């Protein structure tokens, strides 16, 4: 995989800034005045109790929701109201809390579908499955096979993903997001429903993506072990408000976080 | 269901017996290759295993929901309270006191949280007052649900839906609950809360549990007995205590090998091998 | 300019000039609306309870009416025939549940839709085998349905109200009211919505799909019988009546697939809309716009509210 | 075994079964009667086979293909939709097509459509007769000037066919035309059309309908208080349709060209040899009703075509090609009708090489509340006007279908 | 034992992503195509004219609808009308420019229905599921109304109907009264094979993946950068193209003349049912579906009287017809229960069983 080369944004620059974002649905306030930033090449965890607004935050970032107030700046540009596919084309990829794979497609096709935005051969060649279309198909197939190798899912390459167990589906979903070669990768509970061994594997993939390609990652996860070990910085939400922001150890010691989220024994 | 009925003479009797079942999906995909297990009356039994081992399939085979997914039990038998139940419809099983909490939420998206809970009481005949009381009890367990009681379940967050699904199953006052990954997607303190509820229901009302769980740590802490499933077969079973002390289980499921928890950062890519597969 | 005048001014001028015709048009629209709503109601019931888009509703209307009339022709007294027709609908509901729905539980909507198409074919063949393809007259007198017309002199003209139409409106309103109460206030009503949401989850909480489906198909059968009587009294009982069921589609879509009040309000909007449209604007393009106007009206509403006026919100969340 | 094969396309199912069933019974019973009474035609037994089309073009074409191999001597599609695809095939397969008073009006031209027959009159003839009749009632065609005539028609090729002629007449005579199209799917739901009729107040209403459209129209007319004696129809409504309007339908008028009732030896033979023996599907009281007799008339033409074919060829077992010639030799004059036991059943009909239609007169009949009553003498079509339409249409058809085969079949007699 | 995957290794991605990776499948397909061509010379005119030509035409229309409903998940009830657009466009084109070969016009006419289809596809961005069906129903009824109301479309024919003028290819008549069933069958067969091949290329490539993505989970697809509107409109256009060509073939190479009525709502349902029963999202399923829905009743019509007559039961054509309806209805339900995903899935399962035969799994 190639690292997306972006001369302007070096490691450590603010890639995405969320400023005073609020989001409401009728009477429900999902987010209230939340501000934080995500820096280039870091792993940023978002944690908080259930219903705190973590998923909603990701949805705002990739354009699925539009904040009722506040603004989001990506790569230094204030984002206008945009459709999700525009965000995706701008370099933001994500996985979903409730697996959202294309159930009837095979693993390979799912990941290939993730490459759609990188493929450009025209309709005519597609019709004949020849020339540029075939060339492109093979070229991207090669890339996708790399991802498959990387994620160690060769054996299920041709299985329809609807039949896969939950944990593998999550892995395929990660693969699909990686296929977009994103600059910012949003992961919504990538390790829910996995056992320890699988979590370890998943952690390894996340770290590797982050370290080798410098991909910036925003991560929602309820397993504190994972969050503490992987993330560079953590932001904590509760009832739609930010209650803490800092390094894992800072956050872990914060009394409000302990009360709201961690409970006692951590 | 009054618990008096369950408190029949033999205390060590098994509520649920699964006898060497084989499950095929879509006529061609063989998933369970002979699984047997027992749940003693008033026991909490954990069903552990990696992804795709067949935990969910086992639970669905028991609750007879397989047919709805074009799966089929092709061999073996399932008994609940001494009665063959493989041919019953799911709702008859619920009436007999055995209910499943489906993996991956499955709330009724267009119903409000409260209506979801009410549908859980569909099979109950003990009147509105009792049902209201139980709803309040569930709100007490999950205060978050109370706040969102009038929201459509489809719009609530993943964790809220999970709580809703669990609460809904509890509403039917079952004598046995098949819990599929209850902790998935829940915040740490809620996870503990849920296991506490399990323990409480088990202790005070004698509800038996069959618990498919990835969070082995928790599961083995609360369960009395455990089965470990690998690719459709039971590879190991024993009292929870014994499993907790097994070296393999420690390494692969509990993450404490040689007494210490290792960091997720430290994991190296190497092919590990489970001893029982040797 | 002229064309603009014809489109935007003339029809209104005409409305003002002949208010009696306007009233008559509105009345005709309302009556058709009620009758459309009756058919749509059958769809709604079944959709609500199982997420099944019941293609067979049209043929059920015919089948119910034919049973009634056919029995009567065989010498069964009218009210006994009515009771027997109700029983036949019950049997149909049970059979459909056993043979079609039960084995197809938890399948995608479109598959169930297809199955009801199979059912339609079967019922057409079966109905014609038993009752023959000949049109029959509805036994209006024997059922004591009022006939005749009231003519009111008003607004400088005469407006005619058919007694049968008035009866249809009253009966339809009563039925819709009863059903609305039944489904919103009872335990069954909630269970229904749960089933429509997810068969699998409904099964898992112990809702007996079998029982629910029989109830609902039976209710839809009764609605079909009433619709059959009303439509039959209006335009005869024959297999061509099933085409009319198509008219229920825009009504459904406008009102929302899952809403009983939606069916009636949708029906009225469509009924009045198409009559007014045809009457005042139809002549501009040579008439016959009624065939598609209903759909276009429904489409415009949908663009504004994709789930229809009263339909359940389409949940989009990720 | 001497026999000829006569397939009967029928529709006892589907939305048009209400009309189709009676016609099918009449068609079948007459030919069956010939078999039972005379042992067929000229000593040759008729092999009858029904093929169910359901009035559906797809199935009709399928029927045609399935009977084609069995050497049918003639085919009656009984639907304009089915007739259209069969017209080009007939000439290739050498099977005559009898589309009795329906189908493609232009096919009246034998020189261009040697294989298609549509006697005894075209829709244009029919319309001209109704207009003529109305005109006479008003006291002369010119009295129609300033009047308004409504035209309620099925919104399909069949219903629209007379429109150009009606408009031409309107221009010449000076009356006004209001069109009320009824879409097939709204056949039973005509309140808008009748509302519009209340607005336009046409002095006369002419209907071009089929199937349940007719009954529904009569009902709606009664409902909306349209004067029934001003309501005219082309020849397709049956007793059931008129009955649908109840007592209020009295005065409804329609064109017809054959008798209703059973007062004919041949029809009584049908009762004796077929219906009473339980060989018919028709119930006894339906024998002699309008559409039943329409079926009988259709079969009369078939039988006559076969008989004439036997005569001109001298063969007993005739083929489709022979029957085509036979049809062109049909001469049903009073003497022949009497011979057939149908004296007074219908006006005389003579077909020829060039004229496959006859353009025969029809008469007006009125519904008296229980039955049809003949109320007029035969009304001749306005041949001068109709001819023009016909000529133009036939030429047009042949022109547009460049490569339309020229008639190669010889003529048996000068025309 | 002949049907085995073993021993067939793919050494490059081109071979691996072939549409029929299994050699046995490719051979089978070749044999079927050869047989189909051979049929032109072996089959009688009933088989060609009443069974095969319409079967192929309906298969083509099913492929069209399958692209929209099966692959992209957009329910359409406007198929009949889109077929009509193709037929009317073809008629106008070939009568206006008789010098150009009609085959060209058949292909070109599809573009007209593609354009109309895309137009009526616009609401699909907002409207989904059964609700979307109404948008397409509006198309169905509106277009049908246009077919009757605009006499220009039929060159002011008094009959208001379309007719098939004589047209030739290499000097042989392929359209009009003098075209033999053989030639027409060959033309239809070739067009259907060609278009099926193109469709299969499309659905197996990037565009196909985008369509399926939209069908399976449109929100996720959009979050991955797939433009929903464009993708859906493309599906509408391609689908309508196929339907349009099928419509032209239907009128000019099968019926040889038809009224607007053949493009009515029943036609739309008819095709939709072929797609569903055959298998949503499967090209081969389109053929199976067309066979079941179209050919089965024909077979029943032939078989039923034959099985009844030995028992001395002679029943009328109408009773046969009623039984035919009942049996077809019952069989549809039966097949759905056996395999809700359509005949194509049944076929696939059969092949899978064959692969592992003689073992059950
Ligand atoms: N589209 C919506 N309409 C109404 N309410 C919504 C919508 N989306 C989210 N909410 C509400 O906003 C709140 C935050 O939801 P969100 O999914 O962001 O929580 P979360 O932090 O991801 O929780 P979890 O850990 O349980 O997944 C919830 O209470 C939810 O019910
Ligand atoms: N509907 C289905 N059709 C075909 N195969 C299925 C189906 N459902 C499950 N499977 C297969 O059955 C196997 C067992 O799946 P199951 O869901 O029971 O695993 P699990 O142990 O619950 O895994 P997880 O921990 O991920 O939930 C998997 O390999 C899966 O691919
Ligand atoms: Mg979340
Ligand atoms: Mg599972």
């Amino acid at each position: 995989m190639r690292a997306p080369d972006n001369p302007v944004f070096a490691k450590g620059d603010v890639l995405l800034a969320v400023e005073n974002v609020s989001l409401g649905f009728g009477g429900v306030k999902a987010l209230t005045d939340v501000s934080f930033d995500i820096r280039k090449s870091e792993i940023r965890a978002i944690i908080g109790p259930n219903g705190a607004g973590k998923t909603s935050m990701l949805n705002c970032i990739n354009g699925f929701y539009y904040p009722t107030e506040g603004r989001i700046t990506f790569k230094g540009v204030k984002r206008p109201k945009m459709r999700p596919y525009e965000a995706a084309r701008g370099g933001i990829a994500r996985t979903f809390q409730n697996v959202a794979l294309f159930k009837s497609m095979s693993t390979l096709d799912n990941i290939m579908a993730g490459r759609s935005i990188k493929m450009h051969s025209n309709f005519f060649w597609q019709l004949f499955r020849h020339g540029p279309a075939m060339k492109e198909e093979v070229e991207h197939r090669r890339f996708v096979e790399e991802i498959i190798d990387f994620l160690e899912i060769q054996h299920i390459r041709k299985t329809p993903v609807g039949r896969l167990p939950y944990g593998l589906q999550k892995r395929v979903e990660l693969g699909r997001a990686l296929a977009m070669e994103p600059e910012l990768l949003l992961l919504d509970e990538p390790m829910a429903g996995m056992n320890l061994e699988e979590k370890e594997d998943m952690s390894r993939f996340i770290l590797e993506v982050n370290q080798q390609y410098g991909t910036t990652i925003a991560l929602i996860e309820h397993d504190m072990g994972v969050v503490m070990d992987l993330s560079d910085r953590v932001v904590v939400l509760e009832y739609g408000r930010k209650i803490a922001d800092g390094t894992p150890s800072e956050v872990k010691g914060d009394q409000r976080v302990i009360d709201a989220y961690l409970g006692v024994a951590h | 269901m009054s618990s008096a009925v369950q408190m029949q003479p033999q205390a060590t009797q098994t509520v649920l017996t699964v006898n060497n079942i084989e499950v095929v999906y879509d006529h061609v995909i063989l998933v369970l290759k002979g699984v047997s297990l027992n749940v003693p009356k008033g026991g909490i039994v954990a069903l552990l295993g990696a992804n795709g081992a067949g935990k969910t399939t086992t639970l669905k085979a028991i609750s007879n929901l397989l047919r709805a997914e074009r799966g089929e039990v092709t061999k073996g038998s399932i008994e609940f309270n001494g009665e063959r139940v493989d041919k019953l419809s799911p709702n008859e099983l619920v009436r007999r006191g055995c209910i499943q909490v489906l993996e991956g939420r499955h709330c009724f998206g267009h119903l409000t949280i409260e209506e979801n809970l009410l549908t859980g009481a569909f099979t109950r005949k003990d009147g509105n007052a009792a049902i209201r009381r139980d709803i309040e009890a569930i709100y007490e367990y999950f205060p978050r649900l109370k706040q969102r009681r009038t929201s459509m379940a489809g719009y609530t967050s993943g964790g809220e839906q999970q709580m809703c699904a669990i609460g809904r199953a509890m509403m039917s006052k079952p004598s046995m609950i098949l819990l599929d990954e209850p902790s998935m997607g829940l915040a740490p303190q809620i996870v503990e809360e849920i296991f506490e509820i399990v323990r409480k229901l088990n202790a005070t009302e004698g509800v038996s549990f069959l618990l498919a769980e990835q969070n082995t740590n928790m599961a083995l802490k609360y369960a009395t007995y455990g089965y470990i499933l690998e690719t459709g077969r039971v590879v190991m079973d024993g009292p929870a205590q014994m499993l907790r002390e097994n070296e393999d289980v420690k390494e692969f499921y509990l993450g404490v090998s040689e007494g210490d928890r290792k960091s997720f950062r430290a994991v190296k890519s190497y092919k590990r091998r489970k001893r029982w597969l040797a | 300019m002229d064309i603009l005048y014809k489109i935007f001014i003339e029809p209104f001028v005409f409305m003002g000039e002949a208010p009696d015709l306007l009233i008559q048009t509105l009345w005709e629209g309302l009556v058709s609306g009620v009758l459309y709503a009756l058919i749509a109601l059958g769809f709604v019931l079944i959709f609500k309870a199982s997420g099944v888009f019941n293609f067979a509703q049209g043929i059920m209307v015919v089948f119910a009416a034919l049973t009634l009339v056919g029995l009567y022709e065989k010498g069964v007294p009218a009210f006994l025939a009515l009771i027997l027709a109700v029983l036949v609908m019950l049997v149909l509901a049970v059979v459909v549940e056993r043979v079609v729905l039960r084995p197809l539980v938890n399948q995608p909507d479109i598959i169930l839709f297809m199955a009801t198409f199979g059912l339609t074919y079967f019922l057409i063949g079966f109905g014609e085998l038993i009752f023959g393809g000949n049109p029959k007259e509805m036994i209006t007198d024997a059922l004591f349905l009022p006939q005749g017309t009231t003519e009111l002199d008003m607004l400088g003209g005469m407006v005619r109200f058919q007694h049968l139409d008035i009866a249809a409106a009253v009966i339809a309103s009563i039925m819709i009211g009863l059903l609305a109460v039944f489904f919103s206030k009872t335990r069954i009503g909630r269970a229904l919505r749960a089933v429509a949401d997810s068969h699998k989850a409904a099964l898992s909480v112990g809702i007996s799909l079998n029982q629910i489906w029989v109830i609902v198909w039976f209710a839809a059968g009764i609605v079909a019988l009433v619709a059959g009587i009303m439509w039959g009294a209006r335009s005869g009982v024959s297999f061509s009546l099933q085409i009319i069921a198509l008219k229920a589609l825009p009504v459904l879509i406008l009102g929302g697939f899952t809403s009983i009040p939606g069916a009636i309000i949708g029906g009225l909007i469509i009924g009045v809309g198409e009559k007014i449209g045809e009457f005042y604007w139809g002549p501009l393009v040579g008439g016959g716009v009624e065939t598609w106007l209903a759909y276009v009206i429904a489409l415009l509403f949908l663009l504004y509210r994709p789930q229809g006026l009263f339909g359940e919100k389409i949940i989009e969340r990720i | 075994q001497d026999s000829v094969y006569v397939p009967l396309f029928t529709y006892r199912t589907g939305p048009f079964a209400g009309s189709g069933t009676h016609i099918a019974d009449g068609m079948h019973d007459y030919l069956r009667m010939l078999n039972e009474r005379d042992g067929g035609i000229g000593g040759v037994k008729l092999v009858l086979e029904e093929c169910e089309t359901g009035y559906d073009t797809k199935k009709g074409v399928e029927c045609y293909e399935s009977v084609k191999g069995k050497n049918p001597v003639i085919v009656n599609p009984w639907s304009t939709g089915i007739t259209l695809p069969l017209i080009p095939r007939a000439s290739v397969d050498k099977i005559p097509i009898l589309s009795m008073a329906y189908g493609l009006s232009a096919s009246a031209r034998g020189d261009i459509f040697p294989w298609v027959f549509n006697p005894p009159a075209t829709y244009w003839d029919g319309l001209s007769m109704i207009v003529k009749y109305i005109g006479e009632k008003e006291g002369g065609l010119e009295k129609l000037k300033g009047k308004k005539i409504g035209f309620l028609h099925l919104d399909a090729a069949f219903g629209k066919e007379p429109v150009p002629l009606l408009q031409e007449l309107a221009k010449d005579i000076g009356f006004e035309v209001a069109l009320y199209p009824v879409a097939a799917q709204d056949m039973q739901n005509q309140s808008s059309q009748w509302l519009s009729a209340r607005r336009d107040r046409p002095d006369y209403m002419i209907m071009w309908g089929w199937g349940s459209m007719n009954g529904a129209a009569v009902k709606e007319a009664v409902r909306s208080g349209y004067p029934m004696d001003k309501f005219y129809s082309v020849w397709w409504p049956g007793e059931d349709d008129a009955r649908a309007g109840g007592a209020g339908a009295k005065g409804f008028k329609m064109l017809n060209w054959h008798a209703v009732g059973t007062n004919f030896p041949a029809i009584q033979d049908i009762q004796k040899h077929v219906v009473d023996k339980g060989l018919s599907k028709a119930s006894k009281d339906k024998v002699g009703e309008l559409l039943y007799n329409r079926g009988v008339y259709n079969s009369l033409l078939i039988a006559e075509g076969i008989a004439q074919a036997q005569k001109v060829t001298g063969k007993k077992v005739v083929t489709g090609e022979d029957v085509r010639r036979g049809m062109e030799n049909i001469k049903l004059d009073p003497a022949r009708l009497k011979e057939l036991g149908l004296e007074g059943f219908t006006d005389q009909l003579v077909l020829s090489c060039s004229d496959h239609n006859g353009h025969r007169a029809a008469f007006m009949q009125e519904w008296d509340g229980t039955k049809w009553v003949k109320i007029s003498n035969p009304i001749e079509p306005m041949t001068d006007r109709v001819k023009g339409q016909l000529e133009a249409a036939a030429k047009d058809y042949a022109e547009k279908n460049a490569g339309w085969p020229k008639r190669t079949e010889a003529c048996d007699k000068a025309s | 034992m002949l049907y085995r995957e073993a021993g067939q290794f793919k050494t490059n991605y081109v071979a691996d992503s072939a549409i029929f990776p299994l050699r046995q499948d490719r051979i089978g397909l070749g044999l079927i195509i050869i047989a189909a061509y051979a049929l032109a010379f072996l089959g009688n005119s009933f088989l060609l004219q009443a069974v095969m030509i319409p079967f192929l035409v309906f298969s083509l229309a099913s492929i069209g609808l399958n692209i929209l409903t099966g692959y992209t998940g957009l329910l359409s009830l406007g198929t009949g009308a889109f077929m009509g657009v193709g037929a009317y466009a073809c008629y106008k084109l070939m009568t206006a420019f008789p010098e150009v070969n009609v085959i060209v016009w058949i292909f070109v006419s599809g573009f007209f229905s593609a354009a109309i289809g895309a137009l009526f596809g616009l609401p699909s961005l907002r409207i989904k599921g059964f609700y979307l069906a109404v948008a397409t129903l509006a198309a169905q009824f509106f277009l049908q109304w246009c077919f009757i109301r605009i006499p220009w479309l039929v060159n002011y024919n008094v009959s208001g109907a379309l007719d098939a003028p004589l047209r030739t290819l290499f000097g042989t008549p392929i359209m009009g009264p003098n075209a033999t069933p053989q030639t027409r069958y060959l033309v239809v067969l070739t067009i259907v094979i060609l278009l099926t091949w193109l469709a299969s290329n499309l659905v197996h490539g990037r565009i196909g993946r985008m369509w399926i993505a939209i069908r399976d989970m449109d929100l996720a697809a959009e979050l991955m950068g797939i433009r929903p509107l464009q993708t859906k409109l493309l599906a509408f256009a391609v689908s309508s193209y196929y339907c349009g060509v099928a419509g032209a073939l239907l009128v000019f190479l099968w019926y040889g003349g038809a009224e607007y009525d053949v493009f009515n709502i029943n036609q739309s349902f008819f095709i939709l049912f072929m797609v569903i029963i055959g298998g949503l999202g499967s090209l081969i399923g389109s053929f199976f579906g067309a066979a079941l829905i179209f050919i089965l009743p024909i077979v029943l019509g032939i078989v039923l009287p034959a099985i009844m007559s030995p028992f001395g039961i002679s029943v009328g054509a109408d009773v046969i017809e009623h039984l035919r309806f009942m049996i077809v209805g019952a069989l549809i339900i039966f097949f759905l229960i056996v395999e809700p995903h359509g005949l194509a899935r049944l076929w696939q399962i059969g092949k899978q069983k064959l692969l592992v035969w003689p073992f059950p799994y």
Side-chain angles (χ1 to χ4, degrees), chain A residues 25 28 30 48-57 65 97 189 222, chain B residues 144 148 155-160 185, chain C residues 316-317:
Chain A
F25 303 98
V28 185
N50 295 116
K54 304 180 293 295
T55 304
S56 303
M57 192 66 240
Y65 291 153
Q97 183 170 7
E189 302 195 17
H222 283 303
Chain B
R144 185 77 206 170
R148 314 281 294 138
Y155 283 121
T156 56
S157 83
E160 289 160 347
Chain C
E316 294 205 328
R317 214 203 109 107

Side-chain angles (χ1 to χ4, degrees), chain B residues 15-81:
Chain B
V15 226
L16 181 77
T17 316
V18 175
N19 205 345
N20 200 25
I21 55 166
E22 216 176 78
V23 168
V24 180
Y25 279 110
D26 260 343
H27 307 293
V28 282
I29 305 166
L30 178 68
V31 171
L32 294 191
K33 303 156 189 164
V35 168
S36 303
L37 51 85
N38 290 311
V39 179
K41 179 146 283 175
I44 302 178
V45 172
L47 195 55
L48 308 170
N51 265 298
K55 304 181 292 293
T56 304
T57 307
T58 310
L59 296 195
K60 280 190 185 148
I62 297 168
S63 62
N64 270 322
L65 287 169
L66 265 187
R67 223 169 306 151
E69 301 197 3
R70 305 198 79 71
E72 223 183 328
V73 179
T74 49
K75 247 193 220 154
S77 65
I78 300 167
E79 281 170 33
F80 180 66
N81 278 335

Side-chain angles (χ1 to χ4, degrees), chain D residues 225-247:
Chain D
Y226 189 82
M228 290 308 282
D229 57 330
K230 301 280 173 70
F231 188 20
Y232 292 79
S233 170
V234 72
W235 42 66
W236 293 118
E239 277 86 351
D240 290 342
D241 296 322
R243 246 175 243 138

Side-chain angles (χ1 to χ4, degrees), chain D residues 12-13 50 52 58-59 62 65-66 68 81 84-85 88-89 92 104 155 157 160 181 185 281 393 397 400-402, chain E residues 45-46 49-50 141 148-149 155 157-159 161 164-166 177 254-255 257 259-260 298 316-318 321-322:
Chain D
R12 297 169 183 274
T13 62
E50 286 191 19
E52 176 66 36
K58 211 163 29 226
K59 282 196 204 143
E62 180 200 323
E65 294 296 336
S66 71
K68 196 172 77 179
L84 292 172
R89 287 169 205 222
V92 178
L104 192 67
D155 207 356
K160 286 162 61 90
Q185 67 267 28
K281 291 210 178 87
Y397 190 91
K400 289 211 181 101
N401 287 281
Chain E
S45 108
F46 176 75
Q49 175 70 35
F141 287 107
I148 330 172
R149 282 320 157 84
N155 291 339
N157 267 355
V158 253
S159 63
L166 175 75
W254 177 31
Y255 282 150
E259 271 194 279
Y260 83 101
I298 296 182
D318 51 338
E321 182 70 8
H322 301 151

